[in-house]
């Protein structure tokens, strides 16, 4: 009997664990180590953050689902890996610390034959003074990154709406809280959902809404922007993004590294080196992401974290990490199988793997401050990678070490993404977008880096319907209800 | 005072002056149920093609 341990029960980890359990059957064991008792459909946190959904609607208990799937569930966080075992045994293991199941605070060593690291991001609020401490959100701004954060954001937004009703003009600031953030899409969704709710409440005249982002240009989204075919033209996402901001009366600041957050005020540096300040009454700033800080030790107990993980804390996989200038970046730098180069029974999936470099063009201010979005790894690629890695591990278990590893390069796959711009079955809108491939391949598509036949975007009510249906569909799938396996990632 | 929303927005901020802003017809289409039902089908097909190319 082989044991697969999956660290993290988010999009990538849950996908990997549930498929692996199904493919391996009861002959082998799948263990999931994840600190939360509930699964969260993170994209719908945006609607929780504007009071249009409850926390309960976007989460569900993991325990019964894992019981049904025959998965051993440990409500715990992984702390360190010993991929060579220790002095007393050659068996690799992971050290975990319980966060629930009546054992909170207790440590345990869980041995494994195969390991999938799908621990996602550490929400690194502490990177910007005033934004928070470590992975804890600070007191001046709100966040929508977790369901709890989103609930808190909705409560604060209600207060702001009440003030407007009482005739107090309010300034709203939404965007990224550091020069190296990713996930601009979530901030984009939140600003337009907030604007939509304010408009619905008849208070639009009472609000000044301001966007602040580390993207060099509007519509970069950490992917260097995208070009789509519209009305016979190939058009940059910049044109459409600027258009939406103009239409909805939302001012914007781009190329900004927020370097300090205080009560009602942020300070920032721009790509041209100038410094600025923005005041606010309500602000949601996305934190930068880092790896969750797992440590690794060799058999002798020496720290080998640098061998297994990149400096940003994400796990090294089969990517080409050789530093090279932007002009020399290639689609083939991106990983194919997500296998750790040193320990072949260890894989990473979703946000947890270390990308070889940015997707957007790198940029620095004249003062040397790095201001560029880091690469997004959104839901669809995270799910596809999780499934491919699970398939590889199952083949290795069933067919032995020579088994073929499955590939899921972000430079060969596309992504569909639906960005909400306001919720409502009759008056909602969302930008439905696809990109193909996610990472530009300038050797294949020398102009835009992507196939313009499969890269498109359109805003409208239909997009909202899709987004809302996907909410139910993905929660249905994650609960392993009948036919869950045929729903694509 | 200008009444059309695009008039108001173009003048509101220098940033908006160089943008394209949808007119009344384009805005109406965005929430026109019949048109959006057609787009819903088209978008689903387009997305499924990209999804099938990616798995
Ligand atoms: C507000 C918001 C909106 C978004 N909207 C969209 C969208 O519309 N479309 C889209 O495609 N993507 C969206 N995304 C991105 C999407 O949520 C991520 O791409 C996806 O969740 C990444 O999956 P993952 O499994 O890598 O990480 P996660 O889903 O974050 O899962 C990581 C898991 O690991 C667990 N974990 C953390 N530390 C440890 C540890 N030490 N040990 C064990 N487990 C640990 C976490 O608790 C979590 O369960 C959005 C993100 C945000 C924040």
């Amino acid at each position: 009997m082989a044991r697969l341990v999956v660290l993290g029960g988010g999009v990538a980890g849950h996908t990997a664990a549930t498929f692996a359990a199904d493919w391996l059957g009861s002959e082998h064991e799948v263990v999931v180590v994840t600190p939360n008792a509930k699964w969260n459909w993170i994209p719908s946190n945006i609607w929780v953050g504007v009071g249009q959904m409850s926390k309960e609607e976007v989460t569900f208990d993991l325990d019964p689902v894992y019981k049904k799937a025959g998965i051993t569930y440990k409500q715990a966080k992984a702390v360190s890996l010993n991929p060579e075992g220790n002095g007393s045994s050659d068996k690799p293991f992971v050290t975990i610390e319980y966060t629930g199941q009546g054992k909170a605070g207790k440590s345990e060593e869980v041995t494994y034959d195969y390991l999938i690291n799908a621990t996602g991001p550490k929400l690194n609020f502490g990177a910007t003074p005033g934004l928070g401490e470590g992975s804890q959100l600070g007191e001046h701004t709100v966040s929508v990154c977790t369901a709890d954060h989103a609930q808190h954001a909705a409560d604060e937004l209600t207060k702001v709406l009440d003030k407007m009703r009482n005739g107090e003009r309010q300034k709203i600031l939404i965007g990224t809280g550091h020069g190296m953030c990713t996930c601009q899409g979530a901030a984009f969704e939140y600003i337009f959902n907030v604007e939509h709710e304010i408009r619905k409440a008849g208070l639009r005249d009472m609000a000044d809404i301001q966007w602040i982002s580390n993207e060099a240009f509007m519509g970069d989204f950490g992917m260097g922007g995208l070009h789509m075919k519209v009305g016979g033209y190939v058009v940059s996402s910049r044109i459409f993004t600027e258009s939406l901001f103009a239409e909805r009366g939302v001012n914007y600041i781009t190329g900004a590294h927020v370097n300090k957050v205080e009560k009602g005020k942020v300070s920032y540096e721009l790509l041209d080196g100038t410094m600025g300040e923005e005041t606010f009454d309500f602000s949601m700033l996305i934190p930068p992401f880092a790896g969750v800080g797992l440590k690794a030790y060799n058999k002798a107990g020496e720290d080998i974290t640098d061998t297994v993980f990149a400096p940003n804390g994400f796990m090294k996989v089969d990517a080409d990490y050789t530093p090279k200038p932007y002009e020399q970046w290639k689609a083939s730098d991106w990983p194919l199988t997500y296998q750790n180069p040193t320990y072949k029974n260890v894989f990473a999936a979703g946000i947890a793997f270390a990308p070889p470099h940015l997707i957007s063009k790198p940029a620095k201010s004249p003062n040397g401050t790095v201001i560029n979005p880091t690469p997004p790894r959104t839901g669809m690629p995270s799910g596809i990678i999780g499934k491919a890695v699970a398939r590889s591990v199952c083949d290795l278990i069933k067919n032995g070490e020579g088994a073929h590893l499955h590939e899921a390069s972000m430079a060969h796959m596309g992504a569909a993404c639906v960005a909400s711009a306001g919720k409502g079955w009759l008056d909602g809108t969302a930008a439905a977008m696809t990109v193909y491939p996610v990472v530009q391949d300038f050797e294949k598509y020398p102009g835009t880096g992507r196939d313009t036949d499969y890269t498109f975007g359109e805003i409208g009510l239909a997009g909202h319907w899709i987004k809302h249906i996907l909410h139910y569909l993905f929660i249905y799938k994650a609960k392993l209800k009948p036919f869950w396996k045929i729903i694509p990632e | 005072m200008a009444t059309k929303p695009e008039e108001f927005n173009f003048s509101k901020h220098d940033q908006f002056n160089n943008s394209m802003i949808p007119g009344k017809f384009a805005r109406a289409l965005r929430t026109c149920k019949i048109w959006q039902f057609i787009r819903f089908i088209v978008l689903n097909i387009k997305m499924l093609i990209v999804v099938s190319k990616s798995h």
Side-chain angles (χ1 to χ4, degrees), chain A residues 7-13 33-36 42-43 46 76-78 118-121 144-145 183 186 189 292 294 349-352 377-380 382 417-418 467:
Chain A
L7 306 180
V11 172
V33 175
T34 196
N36 300 327
I42 298 172
I46 300 295
K77 62 176 199 259
T119 44
V144 286
C145 291
C183 221
E189 289 188 285
V292 298
L294 297 178
I351 293 176
R377 276 142 291 161
T378 54
M380 184 173 149
S382 298
C417 197
V418 190
K467 178 104 186 163

